[in-house]
Amino acid sequence: MADYQFQRVVRFADTDAAGVVYFAQLLSICHEAYEAAIADLGFDVRSFFSDRGTLILPIVHAEIDYRRPVHCGDRLTIDLQATALSSDRFQIDYQISCEGQAVAQAQTVHRCLTSQTRKRSPLPDRLQTWLQS
């Protein structure tokens, strides 16, 4: 299981007309945390998230539970825990907090596919190493 922590301030553009983070935006913020973790692993993010690479890692499942509202200016801490589920799948659990209070928890499941054939493929070695650390 791999751990990673990401911090982000909520921007005005993240909020809805009621002044709280739009429900889908919090999943997008979780994806930002995932992207930061991938970059810190040394992957070239541009090729990692494009079809031009040999492998792709689409999200095949996502869920989120909200505990309390989040507003513009709130500083979020997102703790990621990544776990290998099989040789071609992994899961990331996100614990989202603000000033020490839990505001949401989310989960994404990713599958590794070859970009050309869209068939299952083993996770890249560097990603497997991270998942096992």
Side-chain angles (χ1 to χ4, degrees):
M1 182 181 308
D3 295 327
Y4 186 80
Q5 189 173 77
F6 179 77
Q7 294 194 348
R8 168 127 154 13
V9 174
V10 175
R11 299 178 188 108
F12 177 72
D14 297 325
T15 62
D16 60 17
V20 297
V21 169
Y22 180 66
F23 76 98
Q25 190 61 24
L26 205 47
L27 267 176
S28 181
I29 293 169
C30 287
H31 201 277
E32 286 179 32
Y34 166 58
E35 290 175 36
I38 293 301
D40 282 355
L41 282 173
F43 285 99
D44 172 34
V45 177
R46 173 178 261 172
S47 64
F48 188 85
F49 289 110
S50 76
D51 274 352
R52 287 175 261 144
T54 58
L55 298 175
I56 56 174
L57 294 160
I59 294 173
V60 296
H61 174 80
E63 63 183 61
I64 189 165
D65 291 316
Y66 304 93
R67 304 288 181 233
R68 70 178 200 83
V70 178
H71 302 91
C72 181
D74 285 350
R75 180 173 294 279
L76 301 178
T77 299
I78 303 169
D79 291 301
L80 285 71
Q81 290 188 328
T83 307
L85 299 175
S86 67
S87 64
D88 66 337
R89 254 179 12 142
F90 67 100
Q91 167 180 307
I92 300 179
D93 293 298
Y94 306 85
Q95 299 298 321
I96 305 126
S97 61
C98 179
E99 298 178 14
Q101 289 190 326
V103 297
Q105 62 186 42
Q107 181 185 87
T108 55
V109 177
H110 307 250
R111 182 169 303 265
C112 187
L113 305 172
T114 60
S115 63
Q116 297 300 316
T117 66
R118 301 292 201 244
K119 293 189 179 191
R120 294 179 186 184
S121 178
L123 295 167
D125 290 340
R126 194 176 329 162
L127 195 54
Q128 286 183 28
T129 301
W130 178 57
L131 295 168
Q132 295 168 2
S133 65

